[in-house]
Amino acid sequence: LVLMVGFTILINRTSLGRAQRACEQDKKMAGLLGVNVDRVISLTFVMGAALAAVAGMMVLLIYGVIDFYIGFLAGVKSFTAAVLGGVGSLPGAMLGGVVIGLIEAFWSGYVGSEWKDVATFSILVLVLIFRPTGLLGRPEIEKV
């Protein structure tokens, strides 16, 4: 929670966050306006690697063992959480993760744990049918 709040503040209130958002919208124009695009991309990858390292340490503390395939299911579920919450929205991705966790916990408790992934992806499909941008995503309006 502390990392999410800090990361959200960094993206929304710092010059690096403004540069990241500018590069996300249009790299060429951001470069023309004085943003060092290569530096911003490099720092973004460093931040992503640091967050992945924190996540890996949390998994190690919970499970106590690391193997080659331990990240596959976590990667699929994190992508699902980002899509469910709304791609491009940090609070949406966090909300998507919480919703997926609640779905799996309640489904495992009331129905059975062998079908929890089916329930998660079924709810993802239902959300995307009725809200294609996710729970907190906003539709992109492209001005020509």
Side-chain angles (χ1 to χ4, degrees):
L1 184 63
V2 171
L3 280 174
M4 279 303 298
V5 169
F7 194 60
T8 302
I9 289 171
L10 183 130
I11 294 295
N12 291 326
R13 297 189 181 168
T14 65
S15 59
L16 175 61
R18 186 178 302 125
Q20 285 177 322
R21 288 180 280 137
C23 289
E24 184 267 330
Q25 287 182 355
D26 190 353
K27 281 193 287 192
K28 188 180 285 188
M29 183 55 108
L32 290 173
L33 292 174
V35 174
N36 187 348
V37 175
D38 293 331
R39 180 178 162 268
V40 170
I41 291 172
S42 297
L43 286 174
T44 302
F45 273 99
V46 167
M47 289 187 326
L51 289 172
V54 170
M57 289 303 297
M58 290 173 67
V59 167
L60 178 63
L61 290 173
I62 291 171
Y63 295 111
V65 66
I66 297 289
D67 65 357
F68 184 73
Y69 298 105
I70 198 165
F72 177 74
L73 190 58
V76 169
K77 291 197 179 178
S78 63
F79 178 72
T80 304
V83 171
L84 180 66
V87 175
S89 170
L90 288 175
M94 189 169 152
L95 175 67
V98 169
V99 167
I100 286 175
L102 289 173
I103 291 168
E104 289 187 356
F106 284 122
W107 192 270
S108 296
Y110 290 113
V111 178
S113 62
E114 59 272 356
W115 293 95
K116 67 181 181 180
D117 292 333
V118 173
T120 300
F121 291 117
S122 299
I123 291 178
L124 172 69
V125 168
L126 287 174
V127 167
L128 289 179
I129 287 173
F130 295 108
R131 290 194 51 107
T133 58
L135 294 174
L136 298 182
R138 286 176 255 120
E140 299 253 345
I141 299 171
E142 187 172 330
K143 297 179 183 176
V144 180

